[in-house]
Amino acid sequence: MTDLENILPIWHALESAGSDYVLATVVDVDGPSYRKPGARMLIAPDGRRAGTVSGGCLEAEIAKRAWWLTELGPVVERYSTAEDDGDMPYGSGCGGVVYVLLERRVTAAPLLMALEAAFHARVPLAIATVLDGAGIANRAFARPTTQIGHNEPINAETREAILGNLALLALERMQSIDQRMAIDGSETRIWVDYRAARPGLWIFGAGDDGKPLLRLARQLGWFAVVADGRSHLATNERFPGADNVLAMNAALPEPGSSFLADLKVTDAVVLLTHSFEQDSHILAALFSGDFVPAYLGVLGPQRRTLEVLAESARLLGFSNPAEHVEQWLALMHAPTGLDLGAETPAAIALSIIAEIQQTLNNGSALPLRQVRAVHPVLSRT
């Protein structure tokens, strides 16, 4: 589960009780850090915490001081995880410096509402936040399906325009922005947190090998759907963690079918039905649509996938199936998964999830010891 999924239940309970809370958000890091900007933690008055902002070395200290630090309003605090930082009792961490925005309900509630709405709608969200000066924690939000909104009070029209335009720019670029600029005659730091849409994983195949794949996807916070033509297997009882379980019954997806209407271009699809008929119909429906998902994987040897694709081309009525098979195969991960030496269903699921994660995030899939930095510091423009 994501930080947000852990935060939302406690947040709703606190809101229902009319209780205050503190939201801690990582807004910058200097040097190595376990969490990147955008990591969040909610702190309740009774000491409960949800979410994380470090690898465990900062949470208790932040929670201990958060309430009196925010008595006069939002504040950005500096925390060091270096062992030789004598001012900090919680060193022995990654060795970097973490900057955390602490704020209470009055400014945090609109942010959490926007995050929750974008999470459930599975759309990207850009959040422009003022991080210093009199307008600290003023915000503007931008997402594809809504107009820009902001939390009051914003007294300066120029500030509202700047925040809104920066949020739209981050949404267009699909990346976070961190910069200083003049607002109301003062140099002000504005951080725009770009949150990509929540990924979705469509698992076609309700056999036992689909269960560990679903578990891993849900641990990552992905939206997950399980579908199969075997209605006795595609049940909520077998896949209680799925967002949706679909029994295709005898009506296999046909070319142009609306069965995949909820699928988005940023989603991942994995076929492990072990059924030639199901796989060929599903792929025909996919390739007759407007797009191919970001990740399309098929379990099994590539020889079988070529035969399945040839049948899909036949279902679509193409006179030269071989031409389309070659084009389609180039868009697929077949066989699906990374070479992890996997043999068991759990290990195979891990190899598939790892390749999807690498594909969706443009990762190198190299050992981290070969990568210059685990979490490079956010560049400022």
Side-chain angles (χ1 to χ4, degrees):
M1 297 177 69
T2 63
D3 282 347
L4 186 61
E5 287 180 284
N6 289 317
I7 286 171
L8 289 177
I10 295 179
W11 173 58
H12 282 298
L14 293 171
E15 285 287 342
S16 297
S19 183
D20 203 359
Y21 46 83
V22 175
L23 182 67
T25 303
V26 176
V27 295
D28 200 2
V29 297
D30 186 6
S33 173
Y34 186 77
R35 299 303 307 271
K36 294 189 291 185
R40 292 182 170 87
M41 176 176 69
L42 187 72
I43 306 166
D46 60 6
R48 285 177 296 162
R49 304 196 303 260
T52 61
V53 292
S54 75
C57 50
L58 295 179
E59 282 76 6
E61 179 66 20
I62 290 175
K64 183 173 67 176
R65 304 172 67 229
W67 290 98
W68 68 264
L69 284 172
T70 55
E71 282 183 348
L72 300 180
V75 61
V76 174
E77 285 292 302
R78 174 187 180 274
Y79 296 91
S80 172
T81 62
E83 292 187 22
D84 58 355
D85 193 328
D87 295 333
M88 299 296 177
Y90 38 87
S92 303
C94 297
V97 177
V98 181
Y99 296 87
V100 180
L101 171 63
L102 302 172
E103 58 185 316
R104 294 202 187 179
R105 179 185 183 188
V106 64
T107 57
L111 169 60
L112 289 168
M113 284 189 284
L115 287 167
E116 181 179 38
F119 180 82
H120 291 305
R122 296 204 299 131
V123 296
L125 175 69
I127 310 156
T129 305
V130 176
L131 292 183
D132 55 20
I136 187 170
N138 281 169
R139 290 188 173 90
F141 309 103
R143 70 182 209 179
T145 56
T146 62
Q147 299 295 320
I148 295 175
H150 60 80
N151 60 289
E152 298 294 346
I154 294 181
N155 299 316
E157 183 178 352
T158 54
R159 182 185 300 156
E160 178 182 359
I162 289 171
L163 289 175
N165 288 334
L166 281 175
L168 284 174
L169 180 62
L171 195 67
E172 179 183 341
R173 291 181 177 178
M174 295 188 293
Q175 65 180 35
S176 297
I177 299 172
D178 193 342
Q179 66 181 51
R180 301 194 71 88
M181 58 194 312
I183 297 182
D184 300 336
S186 300
E187 188 174 290
T188 303
R189 182 187 169 198
I190 300 175
W191 171 57
V192 189
D193 182 19
Y194 173 76
R195 316 292 298 181
R198 180 189 181 195
L201 173 61
W202 291 66
I203 303 170
F204 285 96
D208 289 343
D209 50 359
K211 292 181 178 180
L213 193 61
L214 173 66
R215 283 195 296 270
L216 289 173
R218 290 299 297 120
Q219 287 176 353
L220 290 170
W222 297 352
F223 175 85
V225 176
V226 177
D228 201 307
R230 298 166 291 183
S231 58
H232 66 287
L233 294 180
T235 66
N236 291 314
E237 290 73 23
R238 279 177 55 79
F239 296 93
D243 291 278
N244 200 359
V245 180
L246 304 172
M248 295 183 291
N249 297 321
L252 293 172
E254 296 294 338
S257 169
S258 61
F259 184 79
L260 300 169
D262 293 334
L263 188 66
K264 299 184 179 182
V265 69
T266 56
D267 288 342
V269 173
V270 176
L271 276 64
L272 36 79
T273 68
H274 304 279
S275 164
F276 186 93
E277 183 183 19
Q278 286 199 67
D279 285 356
S280 59
H281 278 77
I282 293 165
L283 289 174
L286 279 169
F287 286 119
S288 67
D290 297 328
F291 64 87
V292 176
Y295 181 96
L296 176 55
V298 180
L299 189 70
Q302 193 172 99
R303 172 194 54 76
R304 176 188 180 277
T305 300
L306 289 170
E307 295 173 356
V308 169
L309 288 173
E311 176 63 14
S312 300
R314 188 194 67 77
L315 290 170
L316 290 170
F318 292 123
S319 57
N320 186 7
E323 176 184 352
H324 296 280
V325 167
E326 183 177 342
Q327 293 175 354
W328 291 341
L329 188 63
L331 301 173
M332 300 169 63
H333 297 261
T336 181
L338 297 177
D339 182 9
L340 301 181
E343 294 183 1
T344 66
I348 291 170
L350 176 62
S351 76
I352 295 172
I353 287 290
E355 188 178 40
I356 296 174
Q357 175 78 6
Q358 179 263 328
T359 301
L360 297 184
N361 293 281
N362 297 314
S364 67
L366 292 172
L368 287 177
R369 67 175 183 273
Q370 297 181 23
V371 181
R372 184 171 60 181
V374 176
H375 293 318
V377 178
L378 180 68
S379 61
R380 299 186 180 182
T381 59

